[in-house]
Amino acid sequence: MKGKHYIKKTYGKINKSAGYVNVRIKKLNWKQWLAILLTIAAATIAIILLTKKEPAEPVLPIVQAETVVTKDVEIYGEYVGRIRAQQFVEVRARVEGYLESMLFAEGTYINKGQVLFVIDPRQYKATVDKANAQLNKNKAMAQKAERDLKRIRSLHEQNAVSQLDLDNAIAAYESAKAEVQMSKADLAQDEMALSFTTVKSPISGYISERNVDIGTLVGPGGKSLLATIVKSDTVMVDFSMTGLDYLKSRERNVNIGQKDTSRTWEPYITITLADNSAYPLKGLVDFADPQVDPNTGTFSVRAEMPNPDHILLPGQFTKVKLLLDVREDAIVVPTKAIVIEKGGAYVYAVLRDGTVEKRFVEPGPEVGNFTVIERGLIAYERIVVEGYHKLAHGMKVIVSNPSKSAE
């Protein structure tokens, strides 16, 4: 009973208060209503501002950039070359006979003029002796004809002999002198043949093994090739270049195989040995064929390579690296910084305010991990080298290594 009384009492108080509020609201004028509305609006705005979350700051992409530099760039071409001896001489028998002796060790170094082989000289010595005897006989006949001519000329002056006798004496003397000259020529020829029985080295170099055995008939009627001599203190390296290489070199005013005093460099080559090690010396290109082989579309080039220790052997194939051009003060960027698409090649340049600019460029030759830029960049600009895949033109970025430059 007490609970019901309490509830009834409370309900009465609420009705009484509500009636009081209702009376008070009806008594408000328009200014009071305006103040109430403004208060409610201000409270609402304050609540909204206080409860509104702060907008998240945009996360800028982090990239790595390098400063564009200029440097002298050496441009090389790689080819397959073959090593050739500077001189390669075949030692042959020039006269016929039986090989009598060999006076050298096979595979060793020999000097120019050194005796290598001896062919049986007896036949040729006999021929020389016979020619020498014939020469002496003809000299005696010429002396006799000269004395006869002097005697007949004296008698002719005294009208003791006829003019015919004088003419015959003159003819006999002239014929005798001619016989002497013929004998001298025969003797020189026979002596030359005799000298050919001693086979000497025409050059200095390394000699091969002998091609014939002692006692073999050599010369015109037999085997003539006795051995070969190779001079390889300096070797020749032959290789082929394409017509495109020629055109590119001409665009840069570089004439392969010709010396140019206006250049500060020469087109030299380096070669790689069979064990993939680099040969320590360099060679200079001294010849280029003036015409292109229509079957291969290439032209032959030759370089001279020093070989003092005889490491390079004639007949070897090797990799040739030729200096084609030197681009002085060229704009160079890391190749990984260049993006190549259907529309062209471009890089992202970092401006002073931290934004990136999509810059189209014209790539040139690629050297190692770097590429020469023909157009589109200038020195000391910064370009993005890492993280460009998440960029777009005009974006702001954070450079993680602002002081780094391309080496």
Side-chain angles (χ1 to χ4, degrees), residues 22 38 135 160 162 164-165 178 199 247 289 294 361:
N22 188 28
L38 290 175
L135 174 61
S162 65
L164 179 61
D165 293 332
V199 182
L247 293 176
D289 200 322
V361 296

Side-chain angles (χ1 to χ4, degrees), residues 101 136 259 302 330 345 351 399:
S101 60
N136 292 332
K259 292 186 177 181
R302 182 188 69 198
L351 304 181
V399 179

Side-chain angles (χ1 to χ4, degrees), residues 138-156:
N138 290 336
K139 283 182 178 179
M141 297 296 295
Q143 291 174 355
K144 178 181 181 302
E146 183 179 9
R147 289 194 298 268
D148 291 343
L149 175 60
K150 288 181 180 180
R151 184 171 58 255
I152 291 175
R153 181 174 282 120
S154 176
L155 293 174
H156 180 267

Side-chain angles (χ1 to χ4, degrees), residues 16-304:
K16 184 177 180 181
S17 298
Y20 175 77
V21 171
N22 188 28
V23 172
R24 293 291 297 174
I25 290 174
K26 289 182 179 180
K27 291 182 178 181
L28 293 178
N29 57 30
W30 67 272
K31 290 182 179 181
Q32 291 174 327
W33 278 109
L34 179 61
I36 292 172
L37 292 176
L38 290 175
T39 302
I40 294 173
T44 303
I45 293 173
I47 293 171
I48 292 174
L49 293 176
L50 292 174
T51 57
K52 182 180 180 181
K53 293 183 179 180
E54 291 287 338
E57 294 185 2
V59 179
L60 300 181
I62 299 175
V63 299
Q64 292 185 5
E66 292 184 4
T67 302
V68 176
V69 297
T70 61
K71 60 187 294 187
D72 294 344
V73 178
E74 295 180 344
I75 299 173
Y76 294 89
E78 294 187 356
Y79 311 92
V80 176
R82 187 176 68 88
I83 298 173
R84 174 169 54 89
Q86 184 183 31
Q87 285 184 284
F88 179 86
V89 177
E90 294 181 338
V91 180
R92 294 183 177 272
R94 302 176 68 175
V95 293
E96 187 177 82
Y98 290 96
L99 194 63
E100 192 173 79
S101 60
M102 182 185 75
L103 304 176
F104 66 93
E106 297 169 311
T108 60
Y109 187 84
I110 58 174
N111 297 312
K112 181 179 181 179
Q114 181 176 334
V115 178
L116 305 178
F117 298 94
V118 176
I119 299 172
D120 186 0
R122 291 174 296 176
Q123 174 186 351
Y124 298 97
K125 189 176 185 305
T127 304
V128 169
D129 293 340
K130 180 179 179 181
N132 195 30
Q134 185 65 41
L135 174 61
N136 292 332
K137 176 182 176 182
N138 290 336
K139 283 182 178 179
M141 297 296 295
Q143 291 174 355
K144 178 181 181 302
E146 183 179 9
R147 289 194 298 268
D148 291 343
L149 175 60
K150 288 181 180 180
R151 184 171 58 255
I152 291 175
R153 181 174 282 120
S154 176
L155 293 174
H156 180 267
E157 291 175 354
Q158 300 174 9
N159 293 321
V161 295
S162 65
Q163 181 66 38
L164 179 61
D165 293 332
L166 177 61
D167 292 341
N168 289 336
I170 293 173
Y173 174 64
E174 295 295 335
S175 177
K177 287 199 302 182
E179 290 290 338
V180 171
Q181 296 299 322
M182 289 178 60
S183 297
K184 286 182 178 179
D186 290 340
L187 177 61
Q189 186 174 5
D190 293 335
E191 288 176 339
M192 185 182 300
L194 177 61
S195 69
F196 290 158
T197 61
T198 302
V199 182
K200 299 181 179 180
S201 173
I203 62 171
S204 297
Y206 285 87
I207 191 166
S208 69
E209 64 177 355
R210 68 178 187 271
N211 288 354
V212 292
D213 294 324
I214 304 302
T216 303
L217 178 65
V218 297
K223 292 183 177 180
S224 62
L225 180 60
L226 306 180
T228 56
I229 302 174
V230 175
K231 184 177 181 181
S232 57
D233 296 334
T234 300
V235 296
M236 301 299 179
V237 182
D238 298 322
F239 56 98
S240 297
M241 297 178 62
T242 65
L244 181 59
D245 290 330
Y246 175 78
L247 293 176
K248 289 182 177 180
S249 65
R250 290 295 298 167
E251 290 176 359
R252 296 284 299 165
N253 295 321
V254 177
N255 294 321
I256 301 297
Q258 299 181 16
K259 292 186 177 181
D260 189 349
T261 56
S262 64
R263 286 197 308 257
T264 57
W265 58 276
E266 290 294 337
Y268 66 85
I269 69 165
T270 56
I271 61 177
T272 303
L273 301 178
D275 59 356
N276 290 324
S277 63
Y279 185 66
L281 302 179
K282 298 178 180 179
L284 286 178
V285 174
D286 62 352
F287 169 77
D289 200 322
Q291 60 182 358
V292 173
D293 186 347
N295 296 322
T296 61
T298 61
F299 63 98
S300 299
V301 181
R302 182 188 69 198
E304 190 175 278

